[in-house]
Amino acid sequence: MPVPVPRQRIVSAAAPGAATAVSAATAATAATAATATGTDLTLLVVEDDPAGALAVPEMLDADGTRVRIRTARNLTEAERLLTDDVHCVLVDLALPGPRAAGDDPLAPLRHVLRLAPHHAVLALAASADAELAAEAVRVGAQDHLFREELDGRLLSRAIRYAVERKRADAVQVKLTESRLRAQENARLERGLLPTPLLEGSDLRFAARYRPGRSRALLGGDFYDTVRTPDGTVHAMIGDVCGHGPDEAALGVELRIAWRALTFAGLCGDELLSTLQQVLEHERESEEIFATLCTVDIAPDGRRAGLCLAGHPSPLIARHGTAARLLPYEDGGPALGLLPRARWPRRQVELGGSWSLLMYTDGLIEGRSAGPGSPRLGQDGMVEMINRQLAEGLRGEELLEAAVTEVRSLNGGELTDDVAVLALERARG
């Protein structure tokens, strides 16, 4: 038997109202559970005819699904009856309401959509108002029903369809928001990676960066390279303890501070002392520290000053000789450990043709032969780099091969951030 429906009325605008506090998660969970398990559904009908078709407390469709019906005679009552267990709202487009500018015929529906942003909504109209019913779907209803065709079976099927469509729409919105947020974060992180300033220098530069965090572009490791007006090339690589977003942010701050201080003429102990002040001011706790290695290469490219702050020493490969570590006995402590620490600057002879490799400990702390094996360490790294140099690898190819082999030796992804950069001088 068709379900009787209320007669059509003159339409007027509904008064504006605030959105309900019912959460999207609660509404979506209830709707998904009901449609997935075939349990009872709850329908809130918003219409003002007490003798209307849907004044009955419940219906039973051919599939045995019980549809509990809750009736609101006006929008104020609808707001009170819109609880967490409601799966769908059926709003009569002929529902009267306060007059509004322009007498919008969809004002009641728009009010319900604002009232129930996370619920499925159906629009009820007369078949003569097919165009208005279609417009109701365009403004946000999941579907429309004609009162002349309405029966229990059709209503139950329409409710299920509306609930599933609303759930699918909500999932799509979340996916879109997540994708846009990921793209924005990627652009921000990519913008925070350094752009070397080496114009006028004959040195070749290459770098590789692999954060330890899953799906991140930036970790606690940081590096930079600049050439100052006097022709000196300054290079730096560092590592903030940890590799989360807070450590990544602190690493960016230290890198930017290093670049500014370097262009201001600071070098060696004076520069590192100032960076320690920056670290102490910006870190979240006193347990946070950072290791750092700085190199300033003379304009002629044949010698350099080296400062180590608890950081692994760079690797140098001169023409015709095997790669080896630069001296590291005179290094100072990591930044942030000792309040009045000092970092001596050691003079290093580079020669005419050379390659300098600077790296963070993520490159040497991976396993040497899979899980449970000893760590690669600096000696293992030197051996690996010498083998790759003998194969003719240089620059970008050398760094890519080094990071790839370290990951392979580790038996899987490295858990720590990895940063490695190379500076090379080809002439004598």
Side-chain angles (χ1 to χ4, degrees):
M1 289 288 295
V3 178
V5 293
R7 63 185 180 277
Q8 188 172 3
R9 305 166 186 80
I10 299 173
V11 180
S12 59
T20 179
V22 177
S23 68
T26 303
T29 300
T32 302
T35 55
T37 62
T39 57
D40 297 347
L41 295 169
T42 299
L43 174 70
L44 175 61
V45 179
V46 187
E47 57 91 19
D48 72 339
D49 185 357
L54 302 178
V56 295
E58 64 180 39
M59 298 185 305
L60 193 68
D61 69 10
D63 298 328
T65 299
R66 181 178 289 102
V67 180
R68 291 192 173 93
I69 298 175
R70 194 178 296 173
T71 303
R73 298 183 181 182
N74 52 57
L75 296 173
T76 301
E77 190 173 345
E79 184 171 3
R80 180 176 60 82
L81 295 176
L82 187 65
T83 53
D84 292 351
D85 58 335
V86 172
H87 300 104
C88 185
V89 181
L90 176 65
V91 56
D92 186 359
L93 296 184
L95 185 73
R99 294 283 176 176
D103 288 338
D104 180 7
L106 293 177
L109 173 65
R110 296 183 195 276
H111 184 92
V112 170
L113 291 173
R114 291 194 299 269
L115 195 67
H118 309 304
H119 288 75
V121 175
L122 293 169
L124 181 65
S127 57
D129 293 327
E131 186 174 337
L132 181 64
E135 180 64 20
V137 175
R138 284 194 288 271
V139 301
Q142 273 62 61
D143 202 355
H144 62 75
L145 297 169
F146 294 125
R147 53 174 56 91
E148 292 87 353
E149 303 172 358
L150 190 62
D151 60 26
R153 188 183 186 90
L154 175 62
L155 179 61
S156 177
R157 187 166 61 247
I159 294 171
R160 288 181 173 276
Y161 169 79
V163 166
E164 285 299 321
R165 180 173 176 180
K166 184 66 176 182
R167 182 190 63 82
D169 289 345
V171 170
Q172 186 59 45
V173 168
K174 289 182 179 179
L175 287 175
T176 301
E177 290 176 349
S178 178
R179 189 179 302 113
L180 292 174
R181 189 159 49 247
Q183 291 173 352
E184 181 179 356
N185 289 341
R187 286 194 297 270
L188 288 172
E189 289 185 320
R190 202 172 288 118
L192 292 174
L193 290 172
T195 301
L197 300 179
L198 291 174
E199 185 177 356
S201 172
D202 61 353
L203 301 184
R204 297 177 183 173
F205 171 86
R208 278 291 180 272
Y209 193 95
R210 183 190 294 268
R213 288 186 296 142
S214 176
R215 300 182 181 181
L217 294 177
L218 204 61
D221 290 2
F222 54 99
Y223 67 89
D224 204 352
T225 307
V226 299
R227 180 176 183 266
T228 48
D230 64 357
T232 302
V233 171
H234 302 260
M236 170 272 290
I237 195 165
D239 181 3
V240 178
C241 64
H243 48 268
D246 292 335
E247 290 78 12
L250 182 55
V252 171
E253 290 178 289
L254 292 175
R255 178 186 67 78
I256 294 174
W258 175 87
R259 177 176 284 200
L261 294 170
T262 298
F263 278 119
L266 274 66
C267 186
D269 179 75
E270 186 180 12
L271 186 150
L272 293 177
S273 297
T274 309
L275 282 179
Q276 173 156 281
Q277 294 179 35
V278 174
L279 171 68
E280 292 172 343
H281 180 75
E282 297 295 335
R283 64 185 177 183
E284 290 190 344
S285 71
E286 294 184 357
E287 287 74 29
I288 301 296
F289 64 89
T291 66
L292 197 69
C293 170
T294 67
V295 173
D296 54 281
I297 303 171
D300 63 6
R302 303 185 65 88
R303 60 191 181 280
L306 170 66
C307 285
L308 296 175
H311 198 88
S313 182
L315 186 72
I316 187 166
R318 297 184 178 90
H319 181 68
T321 62
R324 64 177 182 84
L325 297 172
L326 287 176
Y328 52 84
E329 295 83 3
D330 296 334
L335 303 181
L337 292 183
L338 301 176
R340 288 177 292 276
R342 289 293 175 261
W343 295 271
R345 176 177 173 275
R346 181 164 187 162
Q347 191 75 16
V348 177
E349 294 297 326
L350 300 177
S353 180
W354 48 264
S355 294
L356 188 66
L357 189 72
M358 303 171 69
Y359 53 93
T360 57
D361 58 8
L363 190 68
I364 59 177
E365 290 190 348
R367 301 296 175 177
S368 58
S373 63
R375 298 193 183 278
L376 179 64
Q378 288 180 295
D379 292 340
M381 180 200 63
V382 171
E383 180 182 346
M384 177 188 70
I385 294 298
N386 275 320
R387 185 176 65 255
Q388 293 169 344
L389 288 171
E391 295 172 359
L393 299 181
R394 296 291 187 277
E396 299 279 355
E397 291 183 349
L398 174 64
L399 301 189
E400 183 63 30
V403 173
T404 300
E405 183 168 343
V406 165
R407 179 183 176 278
S408 177
L409 292 172
N410 188 58
E413 287 295 343
L414 300 164
T415 57
D416 198 5
D417 305 325
V418 177
V420 55
L421 67 87
L423 289 168
E424 182 177 355
R425 187 170 188 264
R427 66 182 185 182

